[in-house]
Amino acid sequence: MKQTNYHLFDFMDFDPELKKAEDLWKAYAPSKIVEREGDIVITIPYQQQKRQEDTAPDTTVAQRAFELTVRAYKPGILRLFTSMAGDPMVEQDDMLQFAPDIRHTPLSLRREGRICLMMAEEAVVGKVDLQPTPLDHWSDLLPAPQPAPSITFYPDGDQSKPVMLSDDHFSPPRYDALPLGFVSTTGSQTERATISFRCNAGECFAGTGERFRKMDLSGQTFYMKNQDGQGVNNRRCYKSIPFYVSSRIYGAFFHTSDYCKLSLADHSTRSVQFLNQRATIDVFLIGGNSPEQVLRRYRMLTGFPQMPPLWSFGIWMSRMTYFSAQEVEDICQRLRSEDYPCDVIHLDTGWFRSDWLCEWKFNPDRFPDPEGFVRKLAEMGFKVSLWQLPYVAEGAEQIGEARSNHYISQPEQENRQSQGEQGESNFSSLDYAGTIDFTSQEATEWYKYKLLKPLLDMGVKCIKTDFGENIHMDHRYHAMTAERLNNLYALLYQRAAYEVTKEVTGEGIIWARAGWAGCQRYPLHWGGDSESSWSGMAGSLKGGLHLGLSGFAFWSHDVPGFHSTPDFMNSPIDPTVYVRWTQFGVFSSHMRYHGTSKREPWHFPQIAPLVRRWWKLRYRLLPYIVEQAERCCQSGLPMVQALLMQHPQDKTVWHIDDEYYFGSNLLVCPLMNGEGVRDIYLPKGDWVDFFTGERWQGGRWYTGVRCPLERMPVFIRRGTRITIYPDDVESTNQMDMARAITVEIDSKFKGFPL
């Protein structure tokens, strides 16, 4: 859309020619404030605006009033809810999973003249200012400003961090943000709603999902609609999460699965603005003393990550794709004979009758004995992971059953013609007839027990729940419209796969690409189809850092990038990228090699010995990794942490997206160029190079730091203790965590040998 001079078009999505029958309604000052069953209920009148570019009240139309409910929860959470669509406020649904510590705290009103204070016990958590706006009148050149609700919130009672509704305008006709508003269409039907909060000059924002953007997201607007990201260097997003964290140390979670828009000091640098496609606003304002505390409270609302099994933290080997049992067995035998430690072998799109024709059954010609195949790999110490997707194709064995029982979505146009099957390795040119309908309990049970359980029963340990960010939008679903389901679908899909995997194998794990609020409960997620390049590596890390600031603890990426450039399938991989991405992978939650061409290290003989050393390091670090992972499951921490998690008062780190903490102790500075040179910022403190033992002073930048290909800059605070494994192993099957040893980073520490 072309940018205009009017908020109505640029943020509120009105037709610039004003030909659609839709009207904007602006919130006015409250007409009533009462206590009701422990909530504060504020009646907000809305005035329709004239159907024109400049905002002006249409006083020929009667006002409409809607209630804004303010509810408080311990610890440090305020909820604001209003619906012009008649939606109820709920405390449990697919996204919300309140922890036992979340407790509804009754609010009371205290009136001090024209000020109404919202009290949670003795703390002021909100204020409604009913005083008239001060004026020093001298001109009638412009109309007087329209009334507006002046409401301020203090989610955790800290009045130094006000979150105030924003009535943001240049002049009364020229608005940049509305405190509250909605749109009506023909017949007084409501369509979309908005809320805005004031922000400060210099305020930074992070989160909003797996955002392939710089660390500070201020000055950007995001359309919250999951879609195939098609890489990690663009505006598209596999995992949109309607949550942000501010450098003023508060968070906002917009509880919805509808398409929505979030502007972080973009349309106006004075305002954070949210627009929901449905005329309901449900936002949790989350206070805290640190980003970790804010994120922990967000997880208390939407669910904590579950702990993945030990073997999942080992190395995964894959490519797109292995086509036969013999090919897989040969690779596994070579991994063992050449002393590459590895725990998981993943079979991507080629284990079916036809590549990409997902039927949840092994090809009988190329995998004649699936049970024996899985058992043989298990005896070698390998777990098996299998790819699939949530769509059933024309020509699939299950299509008749799926269609007749409405296990898949149903076309709005019943005369849709099948396109048939085409070729192999064709990126799904197959005609996928429908999306498995997880809004139906019957379809969900069919998927779990008819499709996945037989595979898990034979010993498969993990299902790759690929795709899910797109669904058939021109189809009908059992319990909701496609538009309302699109974002939520990833959560329903991944929950089903996770639950049946844990039920059958006793260990909960998936390997997922899409995401929405709540998906962090079902680890783990990876970053999608990154380019095998320096920009692909940098984009991957940016996405992982923002996802970690959106409630997710476990995140991975394809080493050394998924696809080649310029020929997507066939261009060779740069061996230096392979090594540097391997180093990045060692210091990531999970580590999987995957991509469109050969990924096994022996195909790169000039670097293979170095890669083997880094794989062995990964296994030496597993005691530390598991210890940190368990901590992440009980806190607000991700495994890959932006520096701001530990240094929120350091303004510099709100702009650093190429360094991170791995766990809470290791500060990692990946090399993302072929020159082996980078600038390094070390926060305040005494730091030690993890590999050389060299001492570094924090609180400053180091420019032009050179690092040979054999090493990567990794730092640890002096005085830290880190737990490691004393021996090399071929898989986690050989590990006894009771044998782990502790290394103290003291004056005697000379560096950890590779």
Side-chain angles (χ1 to χ4, degrees):
M1 182 180 71
K2 294 180 180 179
Q3 182 171 311
T4 74
N5 232 0
Y6 302 97
H7 175 260
L8 192 69
F9 309 131
D10 293 343
F11 186 73
M12 293 299 298
D13 292 339
F14 272 69
D15 171 19
E17 297 182 1
L18 294 172
K19 292 182 178 180
K20 292 180 65 176
E22 54 184 2
D23 295 287
L24 176 67
W25 295 73
K26 180 185 182 299
Y28 273 22
S31 59
K32 185 179 180 181
I33 308 174
V34 298
E35 300 174 25
R36 184 187 300 163
E37 297 179 353
D39 297 334
I40 302 300
V41 180
I42 307 171
T43 302
I44 304 283
Y46 291 80
Q47 180 64 61
Q48 182 174 307
Q49 305 296 297
K50 292 180 179 179
R51 199 175 294 177
Q52 61 184 34
E53 294 172 335
D54 279 331
T55 304
D58 186 348
T59 55
T60 67
V61 178
Q63 292 183 351
R64 300 173 67 180
F66 295 94
E67 293 181 341
L68 173 67
T69 299
V70 182
R71 179 171 294 176
Y73 301 91
K74 285 185 177 179
I77 299 170
L78 281 182
R79 185 178 190 179
L80 318 180
F81 180 88
T82 186
S83 179
M84 300 82 180
D87 295 331
M89 180 165 57
V90 300
E91 294 197 334
Q92 183 175 4
D93 62 10
D94 294 309
M95 287 171 281
L96 295 179
Q97 190 179 88
F98 285 7
D101 291 342
I102 293 289
R103 299 188 301 280
H104 182 196
T105 304
L107 292 175
S108 61
L109 278 176
R110 179 188 299 170
R111 298 179 186 269
E112 296 181 355
R114 302 282 289 174
I115 304 293
C116 293
L117 301 178
M118 304 177 213
M119 308 296 298
E121 298 173 342
E122 295 302 314
V124 177
V125 296
K127 179 172 63 177
V128 184
D129 188 347
L130 299 173
Q131 299 182 96
T133 303
L135 293 176
D136 182 10
H137 184 81
W138 72 280
S139 173
D140 294 314
L141 178 64
L142 289 173
Q146 298 182 58
S150 178
I151 309 177
T152 306
F153 305 99
Y154 314 100
D156 57 357
D158 183 350
Q159 295 188 49
S160 71
K161 299 186 297 183
V163 183
M164 186 176 185
L165 293 183
S166 178
D167 190 55
D168 182 350
H169 56 275
F170 165 70
S171 65
R174 292 290 177 95
Y175 276 83
D176 289 321
L178 300 178
L180 285 162
F182 70 93
V183 176
S184 69
T185 57
T186 304
S188 297
Q189 295 294 313
T190 58
E191 185 176 271
R192 53 195 186 272
T194 186
I195 189 170
S196 303
F197 303 112
R198 288 187 186 178
C199 64
N200 294 343
E203 186 171 351
C204 300
F205 303 92
T208 79
E210 188 184 35
R211 202 61 62 183
F212 308 121
R213 286 288 185 268
K214 293 183 180 296
M215 181 51 58
D216 177 18
L217 298 177
S218 64
Q220 299 189 60
T221 296
F222 303 108
Y223 185 41
M224 298 287 180
K225 178 185 184 298
N226 280 353
Q227 54 191 309
D228 188 335
Q230 298 178 7
V232 298
N233 298 99
N234 56 64
R235 296 172 63 91
R236 295 179 290 268
C237 190
Y238 303 101
K239 308 173 190 67
S240 290
I241 310 297
F243 168 85
Y244 69 80
V245 60
S246 161
S247 60
R248 291 199 294 122
I249 319 300
Y250 83 93
F253 167 48
F254 299 92
H255 172 225
T256 184
S257 68
D258 296 300
Y259 297 152
C260 47
K261 185 190 294 187
L262 180 61
S263 173
L264 300 171
D266 181 16
H267 285 265
S268 168
T269 60
R270 297 175 295 220
S271 301
V272 170
Q273 302 180 64
F274 176 77
L275 179 69
N276 196 15
Q277 202 68 19
R278 185 174 177 84
T280 295
I281 298 292
D282 189 8
V283 55
F284 291 83
L285 298 176
I286 306 170
N289 297 321
S290 66
E292 186 277 328
Q293 193 172 70
V294 171
L295 282 161
R296 183 168 68 246
R297 290 171 178 176
Y298 168 74
R299 288 178 179 173
M300 292 170 72
L301 295 172
T302 60
F304 283 81
Q306 301 301 301
M307 182 67 181
L310 169 63
W311 55 262
S312 73
F313 295 101
I315 290 170
W316 301 46
M317 177 51 64
S318 172
R319 71 166 90 148
M320 200 194 84
T321 177
Y322 301 133
F323 283 103
S324 71
Q326 189 60 57
E327 181 184 19
V328 173
E329 290 170 9
D330 289 347
I331 287 170
C332 290
Q333 288 168 355
R334 188 163 182 180
L335 286 166
R336 291 290 181 253
S337 66
E338 297 190 12
D339 196 25
Y340 290 98
C342 185
D343 265 82
V344 186
I345 193 80
H346 171 72
L347 280 64
D348 217 60
T349 64
W351 60 283
F352 309 112
R353 171 164 51 93
S354 178
D355 188 20
W356 284 89
L357 180 63
C358 181
E359 294 181 296
W360 294 272
K361 290 187 177 181
F362 283 92
N363 181 300
D365 297 323
R366 293 183 278 114
F367 296 88
D369 179 14
E371 292 85 352
F373 166 71
V374 173
R375 185 171 57 252
K376 183 176 182 179
L377 294 182
E379 291 169 353
M380 297 171 64
F382 289 97
K383 311 296 189 294
V384 173
S385 166
L386 294 178
W387 177 92
Q388 48 89 84
L389 41 59
Y391 318 118
V392 181
E394 295 285 359
E397 176 183 316
Q398 299 91 351
I399 186 62
E401 178 186 16
R403 181 174 281 139
S404 62
N405 289 289
H406 290 194
Y407 294 153
I408 59 174
S409 56
Q410 305 296 304
E412 296 287 357
Q413 301 293 330
E414 295 292 351
N415 60 352
R416 182 167 178 259
Q417 296 295 313
S418 168
Q419 299 173 6
E421 300 176 24
Q422 303 174 24
E424 289 190 348
S425 295
N426 50 30
F427 279 85
S428 64
S429 63
L430 296 171
D431 178 20
Y432 288 110
T435 301
I436 297 176
D437 187 356
F438 291 107
T439 71
S440 160
Q441 186 61 34
E442 291 77 13
T444 302
E445 296 294 303
W446 175 75
Y447 170 76
K448 291 168 69 172
Y449 297 108
K450 183 72 177 290
L451 303 184
L452 297 193
K453 188 174 184 295
L455 299 168
L456 299 166
D457 282 338
M458 72 172 61
V460 170
K461 294 295 185 181
C462 179
I463 300 297
K464 179 178 173 179
T465 48
D466 203 356
F467 292 83
E469 59 280 314
N470 293 330
I471 62 175
H472 286 75
M473 297 303 298
D474 57 348
H475 282 206
R476 298 186 305 275
Y477 295 84
H478 175 73
M480 62 180 68
T481 65
E483 288 75 15
R484 302 206 75 192
L485 176 61
N486 191 172
N487 287 330
L488 186 64
Y489 187 82
L491 177 59
L492 307 184
Y493 169 35
Q494 293 163 20
R495 179 173 64 192
Y498 182 92
E499 287 177 347
V500 70
T501 300
K502 188 166 187 178
E503 177 184 333
V504 175
T505 70
E507 297 174 321
I509 187 171
I510 55 174
W511 191 278
R513 188 170 79 173
W516 192 252
C519 281
Q520 74 274 0
R521 302 193 296 257
Y522 312 112
L524 59 104
H525 294 75
W526 101 100
D529 297 340
S530 53
E531 178 185 83
S532 182
S533 66
W534 301 118
S535 60
M537 185 177 170
S540 294
L541 178 54
K542 287 179 172 70
L545 291 173
H546 281 296
L547 192 68
L549 291 163
S550 305
F552 288 70
F554 303 107
W555 167 83
S556 187
H557 42 89
D558 289 340
V559 182
F562 175 73
H563 70 91
S564 302
T565 304
D567 188 309
F568 191 94
M569 300 292 290
N570 304 304
S571 291
I573 297 172
D574 182 341
T576 305
V577 171
Y578 192 105
V579 171
R580 292 304 191 189
W581 210 314
T582 289
Q583 294 167 345
F584 171 34
V586 165
F587 294 93
S588 300
S589 158
H590 289 74
M591 187 175 181
R592 185 185 75 159
Y593 287 76
H594 186 62
T596 56
S597 58
K598 298 170 183 175
R599 291 296 187 266
E600 299 78 22
W602 50 80
H603 295 296
F604 307 87
Q606 68 272 45
I607 58 169
L610 177 57
V611 170
R612 183 187 293 110
R613 284 157 53 191
W614 279 88
W615 286 25
K616 290 176 179 289
L617 173 64
R618 172 72 181 191
Y619 280 81
R620 291 290 192 99
L621 291 173
L622 282 186
Y624 169 77
I625 293 171
V626 170
E627 173 188 279
Q628 294 294 313
E630 290 173 341
R631 185 182 178 201
C632 289
C633 290
Q634 301 167 10
S635 66
L637 295 170
M639 284 292 290
V640 172
Q641 302 174 22
L643 299 189
L644 66 88
M645 288 291 291
Q646 297 194 34
H647 310 280
Q649 305 307 321
D650 184 339
K651 291 184 178 181
T652 299
V653 302
W654 283 88
H655 302 276
I656 293 179
D657 52 34
D658 62 353
E659 300 179 19
Y660 62 94
Y661 282 104
F662 181 50
S664 295
N665 297 325
L666 296 173
L667 197 162
V668 182
C669 306
L671 268 295
M672 295 187 284
N673 61 66
E675 291 73 44
V677 179
R678 64 159 295 154
D679 296 341
I680 293 173
Y681 179 77
L682 294 179
K684 288 182 179 180
D686 295 322
W687 295 91
V688 178
D689 186 306
F690 185 65
F691 294 114
T692 68
E694 181 185 356
R695 271 52 177 172
W696 297 59
Q697 186 62 43
R700 55 162 292 189
W701 281 97
Y702 294 85
T703 59
V705 177
R706 292 192 170 274
C707 195
L709 188 62
E710 292 77 17
R711 292 204 315 272
M712 176 175 68
V714 177
F715 300 90
I716 189 166
R717 294 181 185 89
R718 187 172 182 177
T720 301
R721 294 186 174 192
I722 184 170
T723 307
I724 63 170
Y725 204 72
D727 305 314
D728 290 336
V729 295
E730 66 179 23
S731 75
T732 56
N733 284 0
Q734 295 182 344
M735 299 184 78
D736 175 6
M737 287 299 182
R739 299 190 62 248
I741 61 174
T742 299
V743 174
E744 185 170 356
I745 312 303
D746 56 15
S747 58
K748 300 177 182 178
F749 180 72
K750 303 302 180 184
F752 194 86
L754 268 171

